[in-house]
Amino acid sequence: QMVVGSVCVCFGSSSSKSFAMAFAFSQPRMVSQPQMVTGSQPQMVVGSRPQMMTGGVTYSQPRLVQGSPQFVSSGPQVIRQAPGGLFQSQPRIVSGSGRTVVGGISSARIVQGGTQASKPQWVMRLGATVPDFQCETTQGNFSFHEFCDSDPARPWTVLVSHPADYTPVCTTELGRCDTLSGAFAERGIKLIGVSCDSVDDHLGWTQDILYREQREDQGQLTFPIIADKDRSIVTTLGMLDPLEKNAAGIAMPARALVVVDAEKKVRLSILYPATTGRSFEEVFRVIDSLQLTSDLQLATPVDWIPGQPCIVAPSVSTEDASQRFSNLQIESLPSGKEYIRFVDCPGAEQDPANQPDQAE
């Protein structure tokens, strides 16, 4: 064997018996070739500290492990021989038995028949498909994707998260959501909340919310609230606020608002700190812009409100814009480039006061 700056264990077998020998080298430079540990499951180990343990060999922070039937490289921290295969903690690349796992994996395990790897954590980003998860709610149990598909008249979904029940800011927010449920429905949107307490807590809290809005006769909110007492959902969706902690020092869920379209893709994500309530006027403004511009190759300018002129997307030629949209106006700019082009808001009657100012 050749060993460089490590501790080595050699083991093997013969036709009549098996044996194990451990050699410890204090800062050795070289022991003759080859770098090979042989046995029924041959393996090559480079840059690690193998040591003999009951039931197998444990390698602490190996950089390369190669052998039948699998290969591991780039950063597993612990490798242990176990019944049915090898276990790696936090590998970056694992391949074997026809499957490969690359990047972002928290753990992987070699089992009989292939590689079993945990899923990488989902990341909230525009265009991402929201993962499915089971929902225990104030209006029954279902999966999130089932809820998204539950009402063809309202194919879009708004998910709002809350740190806890019986908290003052959350109470005002959910009350406003209930009073605005009709305005959301007009836009083809249904609401669902999530708070980190039980369904029973949600039901009791609902009575306070309805009382403040003078809507006690409803009996329940116009939308369900998901129970997430173990915080598994808000953790999966990345909705924690590390700067705000509860009395136990645990990070509180932030006030996330996610707009999900009919394809279950994120179209808007706003993450408010736990100490700040949402502005639903801004939420409606963005939703109106999203739904207006989705397929028209238009955009909306700063502080836009529905009915005001829109901006033609750079991908549309001026000639095409003049044919497709009404009242095309091109701003004159020092650069001489004609890239700010306003048109009337489709489907809206134009108020002269809403027309864009033209540069001199």
Side-chain angles (χ1 to χ4, degrees), residues 242-322:
L243 299 180
E244 293 296 328
K245 296 180 172 58
N246 61 17
I250 300 173
M252 296 178 65
R255 300 182 192 286
L257 183 144
V258 185
V259 176
V260 182
D261 68 13
E263 303 301 320
K264 304 179 186 68
K265 296 187 181 299
V266 176
R267 300 299 300 275
L268 170 69
S269 174
I270 306 178
L271 195 62
Y272 293 85
T275 55
T276 303
R278 288 167 253 247
S279 170
F280 283 101
E281 289 184 2
E282 172 63 7
V283 171
F284 280 132
R285 189 187 80 87
V286 180
I287 289 173
D288 289 340
S289 174
L290 283 171
Q291 295 184 335
L292 173 68
T293 62
S294 183
D295 299 316
L296 294 179
Q297 292 182 292
L298 293 175
T300 54
V302 63
D303 295 330
W304 177 88
I305 59 175
Q308 290 183 339
C310 299
I311 291 176
V312 179
S315 59
V316 180
S317 69
T318 297
E319 181 181 359
D320 191 14
S322 64

Side-chain angles (χ1 to χ4, degrees), residues 16-49:
S16 60
K17 63 179 180 179
S18 60
F19 60 90
M21 295 180 292
F23 299 89
F25 302 93
S26 176
Q27 298 182 350
R29 295 299 178 89
M30 183 171 70
V31 179
S32 61
Q33 301 177 352
Q35 289 181 330
M36 195 70 179
V37 180
T38 60
S40 59
Q41 293 184 347
Q43 296 183 348
M44 179 185 296
V45 180
V46 179
S48 63
R49 295 181 181 176

Side-chain angles (χ1 to χ4, degrees), residues 124 158-165 167 169-170 173-174 177 192-196 205 223 225-226 228 233-235 237-241 252-258 270-274 276 278 280:
M124 181 78 69
V158 167
L159 170 66
V160 289
S161 70
H162 299 274
D165 295 0
T167 51
V169 178
C170 298
E173 288 183 322
L174 286 180
C177 285
I192 187 168
V194 56
S195 183
C196 297
W205 183 31
F223 54 89
I225 306 177
I226 304 169
D228 189 27
I233 295 174
V234 295
T235 300
L237 299 181
M239 294 177 171
L240 296 177
D241 181 355
M252 296 178 65
R255 300 182 192 286
L257 183 144
V258 185
I270 306 178
L271 195 62
Y272 293 85
T276 303
R278 288 167 253 247
F280 283 101

Side-chain angles (χ1 to χ4, degrees), residues 77-304:
Q77 292 182 345
V78 177
I79 296 199
R80 178 172 56 84
Q81 184 176 342
L86 301 173
F87 178 82
Q88 299 88 31
S89 173
Q90 297 181 347
R92 294 180 185 175
I93 302 179
V94 180
S95 63
S97 301
R99 292 189 57 187
T100 301
V101 182
V102 180
I105 305 300
S106 60
S107 62
R109 181 166 54 93
I110 301 296
V111 295
Q112 290 181 347
T115 302
Q116 178 178 337
S118 65
K119 296 180 180 179
Q121 182 172 346
W122 184 76
V123 177
M124 181 78 69
R125 66 182 187 279
L126 297 181
T129 300
V130 179
D132 198 13
F133 49 85
Q134 291 301 308
C135 304
E136 181 183 0
T137 84
T138 53
Q139 296 183 15
N141 301 335
F142 41 78
S143 77
F144 183 71
H145 284 187
E146 287 174 343
F147 179 78
C148 290
D149 295 332
S150 64
D151 186 352
R154 296 181 295 168
W156 285 38
T157 302
V158 167
L159 170 66
V160 289
S161 70
H162 299 274
D165 295 0
Y166 299 105
T167 51
V169 178
C170 298
T171 301
T172 64
E173 288 183 322
L174 286 180
R176 183 58 55 86
C177 285
D178 192 72
T179 60
L180 293 174
S181 59
F184 279 105
E186 290 174 359
R187 292 166 169 83
I189 297 172
K190 55 192 173 295
L191 292 165
I192 187 168
V194 56
S195 183
C196 297
D197 284 298
S198 67
V199 168
D200 287 341
D201 287 332
H202 293 350
L203 293 172
W205 183 31
T206 293
Q207 304 310 308
D208 289 352
I209 296 169
L210 294 174
Y211 175 81
R212 290 193 72 257
E213 303 299 331
Q214 299 181 355
R215 299 164 74 95
E216 304 100 307
D217 293 342
Q218 285 184 192
Q220 64 178 5
L221 296 172
T222 53
F223 54 89
I225 306 177
I226 304 169
D228 189 27
K229 196 167 184 178
D230 64 359
R231 303 188 177 201
S232 60
I233 295 174
V234 295
T235 300
T236 296
L237 299 181
M239 294 177 171
L240 296 177
D241 181 355
L243 299 180
E244 293 296 328
K245 296 180 172 58
N246 61 17
I250 300 173
M252 296 178 65
R255 300 182 192 286
L257 183 144
V258 185
V259 176
V260 182
D261 68 13
E263 303 301 320
K264 304 179 186 68
K265 296 187 181 299
V266 176
R267 300 299 300 275
L268 170 69
S269 174
I270 306 178
L271 195 62
Y272 293 85
T275 55
T276 303
R278 288 167 253 247
S279 170
F280 283 101
E281 289 184 2
E282 172 63 7
V283 171
F284 280 132
R285 189 187 80 87
V286 180
I287 289 173
D288 289 340
S289 174
L290 283 171
Q291 295 184 335
L292 173 68
T293 62
S294 183
D295 299 316
L296 294 179
Q297 292 182 292
L298 293 175
T300 54
V302 63
D303 295 330
W304 177 88

